[in-house]
Amino acid sequence: MPHDSLSGVFIDACLINNFILAYFLGICPFIGVTKEVKTSARMGLAVMFVMLVSSMCAYGVNGLLLWLGVPFLQLISFIVVIASSVQLVEMVIKRYSPALFRSLGIFLPLITTNCAILAVALFQTQRGYGFLQCLAYALGAGTGFLLVLVLMASVRQNLDYADVPSSIKGTVMAFIVAGILSVAFMGFAGMGGAR
Amino acid sequence: MSVDSGQVFTKGIWQENPVFVQVLGMCPVLAVSNTATNSLAMGLATAFVLVMSSTLVSWLRPVIPRQIRIASYILIIATFVTAVDYGIQAVSVELHKALGAFISLIVVNCIILGRAEAFASKHGVWDAIKDAAGMGLGFTIGLFCLGGVRELLGAGSLFGYAVFGDRFEPWILMILPPGGFFTMAAWLFVINLRKEARIASLKARKTLEETRHAT
């Protein structure tokens, strides 16, 4: 597995094994903030950014833990790393781009509890990716996340004008749409040949 | 502070069921509910972490400063999750492989942090244990409802034992990712229908009484 090409890793994380539709990671923002295309795109971008930063940090921390011989602390240190990198990203954005900070708003701190971020850190160590592969993986996962969030939001925005029975409206309809999207993404399974 | 003790336990199972009513912690619910065994194991693992971390949070409540409470809760939860991870690996390597990273991902399950913040940090140890046990049981039941249906339709078996005869054609889509979304939608639909029917019957009774009063 560590010999996968960078593009293979990217396509695998982005389309074939999409984090939301194939691994069911980050379902909470997927159902929660996909009512409008604009907010969902912002959320997706924020997640992508944090994924990239925390993936780099996790790579370093994992090397340190292995060197110290304490792999059982992996989970705890990853969580701490993610929480602090979210905090750091928040401070940096606030300092250098107040406009972006305002537009991201409450989404930024909420990303800490997004399981997709932790999953990127866990999967990349599980598969033994190198540094560049980790970057490609995080970038792919983030792009896939953004893509699905925006797709879902545009479908749901149009659903507002559809005549849906009252007992299906809302969450039920969201799950049905997600299921259909997931079926569509299964079509990517033969692509890239990453697995 | 005093809470009705029976209510604390049962509300997690039915009225405030974490899976079907609060729709929390969806990621593991959909991801590992492809067989009944997996879903039951995942439910029990989560329930264990929930009970243990709620106990500790409630017990350490006077010591933890308010400003860093969330970070402390996460550390407590991560500790128990690591324990569960190694525990499952010791009991059954096969199960550990099937659940994969989702055991570690219990850490970011919103139910656990949610209960720690909303209940355990404000109530006594005994109440916190009961609340966590109820929620954990409710979560396990919810997971089992999904896992059972998906395995039954997708593989024609339950806990690995064949239920239907040889002529049953397995509906493979149900054990693949889309099946998770569709099964969840179906369950929520059933619950919504029930809720609507109850509201309708309440309304009907009310109008009946009103007309009776009027005459």
Side-chain angles (χ1 to χ4, degrees):
Chain A
M1 189 85 69
H3 299 295
D4 287 345
S5 68
L6 292 183
S7 60
V9 170
F10 180 83
I11 292 173
D12 175 67
C14 178
L15 296 176
I16 303 168
N17 287 308
N18 185 283
F19 267 54
I20 296 180
L21 296 176
Y23 285 150
F24 302 110
L25 297 165
I27 298 287
C28 310
F30 177 57
I31 301 290
V33 297
T34 52
K35 292 198 176 107
E36 239 182 285
V37 176
K38 220 172 169 184
T39 38
S40 67
R42 276 183 197 151
M43 177 70 183
L45 278 176
V47 166
M48 200 169 146
F49 189 55
V50 176
M51 255 180 195
L52 215 54
V53 173
S54 63
S55 151
M56 278 189 274
C57 298
Y59 180 78
V61 166
N62 190 48
L64 191 71
L65 287 180
L66 286 182
W67 182 65
L68 291 171
V70 281
F72 52 86
L73 285 180
Q74 198 188 50
L75 188 59
I76 297 179
S77 25
F78 278 0
I79 275 285
V80 175
V81 161
I82 289 171
S84 36
S85 65
V86 168
Q87 199 90 60
L88 193 74
V89 165
E90 199 179 340
M91 285 192 300
V92 169
I93 294 182
K94 198 176 183 180
R95 172 75 180 75
Y96 290 105
S97 169
L100 180 66
F101 180 76
R102 266 197 303 278
S103 69
L104 285 178
I106 192 181
F107 294 136
L108 218 42
L110 275 184
I111 292 171
T112 318
T113 50
N114 187 331
C115 38
I117 312 265
L118 181 62
V120 169
L122 287 172
F123 286 153
Q124 72 182 21
T125 42
Q126 216 173 45
R127 297 178 181 187
Y129 281 158
F131 184 67
L132 282 181
Q133 281 171 324
C134 282
L135 278 189
Y137 192 65
L139 203 61
T143 315
F145 194 85
L146 175 66
L147 178 71
V148 172
L149 229 59
V150 171
L151 277 177
M152 179 75 173
S154 28
V155 171
R156 281 181 81 178
Q157 237 175 6
N158 284 313
L159 265 180
D160 282 349
Y161 305 109
D163 187 19
V164 178
S166 64
S167 47
I168 300 187
K169 224 170 192 143
T171 324
V172 180
M173 198 63 212
F175 275 108
I176 294 174
V177 172
I180 295 169
L181 271 181
S182 178
V183 174
F185 265 67
M186 276 169 66
F188 287 120
M191 229 172 99
R195 15 195 79 195
Chain B
M1 247 344 156
S2 67
V3 211
D4 184 15
S5 56
Q7 181 96 41
V8 171
F9 180 68
T10 53
K11 77 174 189 306
I13 299 175
W14 188 246
Q15 282 162 305
E16 290 178 24
N17 187 298
V19 177
F20 294 129
V21 181
Q22 301 184 46
V23 199
L24 278 179
M26 277 296 106
C27 315
V29 170
L30 296 170
V32 294
S33 62
N34 48 3
T35 68
T37 320
N38 282 358
S39 61
L40 211 56
M42 187 67 196
L44 291 179
T46 311
F48 172 77
V49 175
L50 191 55
V51 170
M52 296 308 280
S53 54
S54 277
T55 313
L56 208 61
V57 164
S58 166
W59 186 51
L60 290 177
R61 160 171 62 112
V63 191
I64 299 176
R66 248 197 97 69
Q67 294 86 352
I68 56 156
R69 66 185 195 287
I70 303 281
S72 334
Y73 299 161
I74 288 187
L75 278 187
I76 291 172
I77 295 167
T79 312
F80 284 116
V81 170
T82 310
V84 165
D85 192 14
Y86 280 78
I88 290 180
Q89 209 166 1
V91 173
S92 159
V93 179
E94 211 172 290
L95 190 64
H96 188 264
K97 218 179 238 167
L99 296 180
F102 283 97
I103 306 171
S104 314
L105 288 173
I106 296 177
V107 179
V108 277
N109 193 323
C110 358
I111 300 172
I112 299 179
L113 194 61
R115 282 342 274 174
E117 166 72 8
F119 197 91
S121 62
K122 297 190 185 90
H123 294 83
V125 175
W126 184 229
D127 274 338
I129 292 177
K130 273 190 293 193
D131 174 72
M135 284 290 164
L137 202 60
F139 185 69
T140 313
I141 291 170
L143 256 175
F144 182 71
C145 285
L146 272 144
V149 168
R150 282 178 73 185
E151 193 183 345
L152 208 58
L153 294 177
S157 59
L158 204 61
F159 293 109
Y161 298 105
V163 173
F164 304 120
D166 293 333
R167 295 177 60 193
F168 178 72
E169 188 67 43
W171 195 6
I172 293 171
L173 190 74
M174 294 308 277
I175 25 179
L176 292 174
F181 286 116
F182 289 134
T183 318
M184 188 67 205
W187 275 111
L188 286 176
F189 174 58
V190 169
I191 287 165
N192 271 355
L193 272 188
R194 224 187 127 257
K195 211 188 284 169
E196 275 186 359
R198 204 171 49 196
I199 291 171
S201 79
L202 270 180
K203 218 179 250 169
R205 200 177 298 160
K206 217 174 188 180
T207 44
L208 194 70
E209 265 169 27
E210 271 166 14
T211 46
R212 212 174 273 161
H213 274 293
T215 48

